[in-house]
Amino acid sequence: MIVIARHGRPALDRHVWINAEQYQDWWAQYDAGGLTAGQKVPNALMQALMACKIVVSSSLRRALETAELAAPGRDLIIDPRFVEAPLPPPPLPSFILFKPRFWGIISRIGWFLGYHRDQESRAEAEIRAQGAADWLIEQAQTFGSVGLLAHGWFNRMMRPYLIARGWVCVYDGRDAHWSHRIYRPKPD
């Protein structure tokens, strides 16, 4: 079994109006930042992780804090291969202001189309996602089960590689904060 979860709700304010350069700074703060205090971990996620022999977390703070809350007292494997794919904003004039959520959408579209601002490209992230999915499968085959606490887009990027290698999603909690999916090998 492989459990793949998205981190909890981050503390950074998403209701500010910022330009492209400010969004790049905002994203750096987002990557360095933690979770909003006082969140309740969904019981289904805690139960799924308790069933896992090993628990893995992205090395970003929001994932680590999620792991501490969702898998309390567990030893963690902290692995930077599971960090989020970058979101470099397109070079728009400084008078154009959007909220971070919209910057994220247009940045992801630009990244998908090849704009990566000397950060990890889509092709490089796809290779990383394929390797990460392979590693999760190896861990699940070795230990019987593995739980991962990581990030929405990168989790989504691993999905087709898991499916291509014969794993099926048996529980789909979608992509919101604190959500998770459970994968199992396809029955013969």
Side-chain angles (χ1 to χ4, degrees), residues 43-125:
N43 189 51
L45 175 57
M46 291 186 81
Q47 294 297 319
L49 291 172
M50 283 191 337
C52 293
K53 299 287 188 217
I54 61 171
V55 179
V56 183
S57 175
S58 154
S59 57
L60 294 178
R61 182 175 164 195
R62 62 189 181 272
L64 291 167
E65 289 182 7
T66 299
E68 290 171 10
L69 294 170
R74 297 287 300 270
D75 290 332
L76 292 178
I77 297 171
I78 301 168
D79 196 327
R81 90 180 80 198
F82 295 105
V83 300
E84 184 62 287
L87 273 176
L92 296 177
S94 63
F95 64 84
I96 296 178
L97 304 176
F98 298 121
K99 290 184 178 179
R101 181 175 175 89
F102 190 72
W103 276 117
I105 293 168
I106 63 172
S107 297
R108 185 60 72 208
I109 291 168
W111 182 79
F112 237 81
L113 295 174
Y115 181 77
H116 56 88
R117 207 174 198 171
D118 296 325
Q119 296 179 39
E120 181 182 46
S121 69
R122 176 182 171 196
E124 292 166 335

Side-chain angles (χ1 to χ4, degrees), residues 10 22 24 40 55 75 93 101 107 116 128 138 145 153 183 188:
Q22 291 167 328
Q24 188 158 335
K40 185 172 176 0
V55 179
D75 290 332
R101 181 175 175 89
S107 297
H116 56 88
R128 181 166 61 95
E138 289 171 16
S145 56
W153 192 263
Y183 296 87
D188 293 332

Side-chain angles (χ1 to χ4, degrees), residues 6-12 34-42 46 62 65-66 69-70 177-178:
R6 185 177 181 204
H7 58 78
R9 192 168 37 86
L12 193 59
L35 301 179
T36 298
Q39 296 181 64
K40 185 172 176 0
V41 180
M46 291 186 81
R62 62 189 181 272
E65 289 182 7
T66 299
L69 294 170
H177 295 119
W178 296 108

